[in-house]
Amino acid sequence: MVALDSGARTSPDPAWAEHVRLHQAFLGRVIDYLCADAGIRQFVDWGCPVPGTAERVRRVAPEATVVHVAPQGAAGLLTSPEHAAVLSGDGSESEALLRRLHTSGLVDFDEPVGVLMTRTFGADCPPSGLEDLRGLMRGGGHLALTSTAPRAEVERAFAPFSLLEPGVADLTWWPYPDEDVAASGCGILAGLGRVPVRRGGAGRWR
């Protein structure tokens, strides 16, 4: 992923490269936890903000499945789309995307699922459809979010889910709480929410 100037390939932007590195490291810690401690074996990479997510999942849990929800035209940025299903969507039509995930059979919402919705959102554009997502996740699961919005707004975005400790913290060092780290962070808040298993009952779009 590089900057392009008049069609010529140039050196990667150092600030963007550092953002990608920090985001990949955060996703790696989330994936390690979800695979090893929560037993998650199906993931939805919703927004695909950085490459390498499917490879990290398979390195920890080779039998796990990954579905990418990729913005229009972004599938080519994925490093191994041939090893994961790809749905096209920018997240603005979250209800339609959830319906496609549910009815296509790509995700079994009667089993735990990890949804990595980590394309960073701002205060003016909170993620939509989280109530619907929680309603589908009858088998339980987790949701990861990242944001540049104020802390209270990020916590409100997680409202349909139960935030895991330490709540929201800087993406650079999550899952350590901000007050335990003296270093400067990147200014992006991150967190992981959980929904419990809710067996029985008819889900939406059944």
Side-chain angles (χ1 to χ4, degrees), residues 46 89-95 97 128:
W46 189 300
D90 63 5
S92 61
E93 297 292 338
S94 58
E95 182 173 335
L97 286 169
S128 61

Short mmCIF file of all heavy atoms in Angstrom, two decimals, residues 46 89-95 97 128:
data_model
loop_
_atom_site.label_atom_id
_atom_site.label_comp_id
_atom_site.label_asym_id
_atom_site.label_seq_id
_atom_site.Cartn_x
_atom_site.Cartn_y
_atom_site.Cartn_z
N TRP A 46 -14.34 -6.82 8.84
CA TRP A 46 -15.31 -5.86 8.29
C TRP A 46 -14.63 -4.52 8.04
O TRP A 46 -14.38 -3.75 8.96
CB TRP A 46 -16.46 -5.70 9.27
CG TRP A 46 -17.63 -4.91 8.76
CD1 TRP A 46 -17.64 -3.62 8.32
CD2 TRP A 46 -18.98 -5.36 8.66
NE1 TRP A 46 -18.90 -3.23 7.95
CE2 TRP A 46 -19.74 -4.29 8.14
CE3 TRP A 46 -19.62 -6.55 8.96
CZ2 TRP A 46 -21.12 -4.38 7.94
CZ3 TRP A 46 -20.99 -6.65 8.74
CH2 TRP A 46 -21.72 -5.58 8.24
N GLY A 89 -18.53 -4.13 0.07
CA GLY A 89 -19.41 -3.19 0.75
C GLY A 89 -18.60 -2.22 1.57
O GLY A 89 -17.55 -2.59 2.11
N ASP A 90 -19.05 -0.97 1.66
CA ASP A 90 -18.31 0.04 2.41
C ASP A 90 -18.83 0.24 3.82
O ASP A 90 -18.35 1.09 4.56
CB ASP A 90 -18.31 1.37 1.67
CG ASP A 90 -19.72 1.95 1.50
OD1 ASP A 90 -20.68 1.36 2.04
OD2 ASP A 90 -19.85 2.99 0.82
N GLY A 91 -19.83 -0.56 4.22
CA GLY A 91 -20.38 -0.44 5.56
C GLY A 91 -21.56 0.49 5.67
O GLY A 91 -22.23 0.52 6.69
N SER A 92 -21.83 1.28 4.61
CA SER A 92 -22.95 2.22 4.69
C SER A 92 -24.29 1.50 4.63
O SER A 92 -25.29 2.03 5.08
CB SER A 92 -22.85 3.24 3.55
OG SER A 92 -22.90 2.59 2.29
N GLU A 93 -24.31 0.31 4.05
CA GLU A 93 -25.53 -0.49 3.99
C GLU A 93 -25.36 -1.70 4.89
O GLU A 93 -25.33 -2.84 4.45
CB GLU A 93 -25.81 -0.92 2.54
CG GLU A 93 -26.08 0.22 1.59
CD GLU A 93 -27.39 0.94 1.89
OE1 GLU A 93 -28.27 0.31 2.52
OE2 GLU A 93 -27.54 2.11 1.50
N SER A 94 -25.21 -1.43 6.20
CA SER A 94 -24.88 -2.50 7.13
C SER A 94 -25.96 -3.57 7.20
O SER A 94 -25.67 -4.76 7.33
CB SER A 94 -24.61 -1.93 8.53
OG SER A 94 -25.73 -1.21 9.00
N GLU A 95 -27.23 -3.17 7.11
CA GLU A 95 -28.30 -4.15 7.19
C GLU A 95 -28.24 -5.12 6.02
O GLU A 95 -28.38 -6.34 6.20
CB GLU A 95 -29.67 -3.46 7.23
CG GLU A 95 -30.83 -4.44 7.35
CD GLU A 95 -32.16 -3.75 7.56
OE1 GLU A 95 -32.18 -2.62 8.06
OE2 GLU A 95 -33.18 -4.37 7.23
N LEU A 97 -25.57 -5.89 4.27
CA LEU A 97 -24.38 -6.72 4.42
C LEU A 97 -24.60 -7.81 5.46
O LEU A 97 -24.20 -8.96 5.27
CB LEU A 97 -23.18 -5.86 4.81
CG LEU A 97 -22.60 -4.98 3.70
CD1 LEU A 97 -21.61 -3.98 4.27
CD2 LEU A 97 -21.92 -5.85 2.64
N SER A 128 -22.80 1.75 12.14
CA SER A 128 -24.23 1.48 12.19
C SER A 128 -24.47 -0.02 12.19
O SER A 128 -23.60 -0.81 11.84
CB SER A 128 -24.95 2.12 10.99
OG SER A 128 -24.45 1.57 9.78
#
